[in-house]
C-alpha cells in the first residue's frame, strides 16, 4: 500500500528522531515535513507506528495516510501521545 507521513515536530530533536525512523523504514523525503513510500506491508506499518511512538513526545503530531487498506483510505493521527484512526470508504467513480 502507498503510505505518506506528515509530521509536525515539537522540537528539532523530535524532527531528527522521526526522520531517522522514517528513513530507516525506507521512506523518502518529498517535502520539508512529508515522507512517502509507495509499497509498505501491513506488518511493517504496525512496527513503524511503534517506532514513531517511541521517537515522539507529547508536543509532536504525526499523520499517516494509507491507501488502500482493506479497500479504504485510512488516516492515522498521533497527537498528544494518543493515536486516532479515521477510515473512509472509497466510492467508485460514476464519471467516465
Amino acid at each position: 500500500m502507498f503510505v505518506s507521513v506528515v509530521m509536525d515536530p515539537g522540537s528539532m530533536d523530535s524532527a531528527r528522531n522521526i526522520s531517522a525512523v522514517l528513513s530507516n523504514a525506507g521512506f523518502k523525503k518529498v517535502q520539508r515535513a512529508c515522507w512517502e513510500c509507495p509499497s509498505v506491508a501491513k506488518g511493517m506499518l504496525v512496527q513503524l507506528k511503534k517506532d514513531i511512538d517511541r521517537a515522539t513526545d507529547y508536543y509532536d503530531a504525526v499523520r499517516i495516510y494509507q491507501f488502500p487498506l482493506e479497500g479504504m483510505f485510512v488516516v492515522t493521527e498521533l497527537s498528544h501521545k494518543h493515536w486516532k484512526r479515521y477510515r473512509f470508504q472509497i466510492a467508485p467513480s460514476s464519471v467516465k
Side-chain angles (χ1 to χ4, degrees), residues 8-82:
D8 183 16
S11 70
M12 289 304 292
D13 286 339
S14 291
R16 281 190 288 272
N17 293 341
I18 298 167
S19 294
V21 166
L22 294 170
S23 180
N24 290 339
F27 282 74
K28 301 293 180 209
K29 187 174 185 178
V30 294
Q31 291 181 352
R32 183 171 41 132
C34 182
W35 295 71
E36 293 179 351
C37 186
S39 58
V40 176
K42 191 173 181 179
M44 181 183 158
L45 190 61
V46 171
Q47 185 61 46
L48 177 66
K49 288 177 185 176
K50 289 178 184 178
D51 293 343
I52 289 173
D53 196 54
R54 282 193 275 281
T56 57
D57 62 29
Y58 183 82
Y59 301 103
D60 301 322
V62 177
R63 288 189 118 199
I64 302 172
Y65 299 90
Q66 305 155 234
F67 183 79
L69 181 62
E70 299 166 1
M72 303 182 106
F73 175 68
V74 179
V75 178
T76 307
E77 177 181 51
L78 174 65
S79 180
H80 302 291
K81 294 301 279 183
H82 180 72

Side-chain angles (χ1 to χ4, degrees), residues 71-75 86-90:
M72 303 182 106
F73 175 68
V74 179
V75 178
Y86 307 96
R87 300 172 67 137
F88 302 95
Q89 184 67 44
I90 305 300

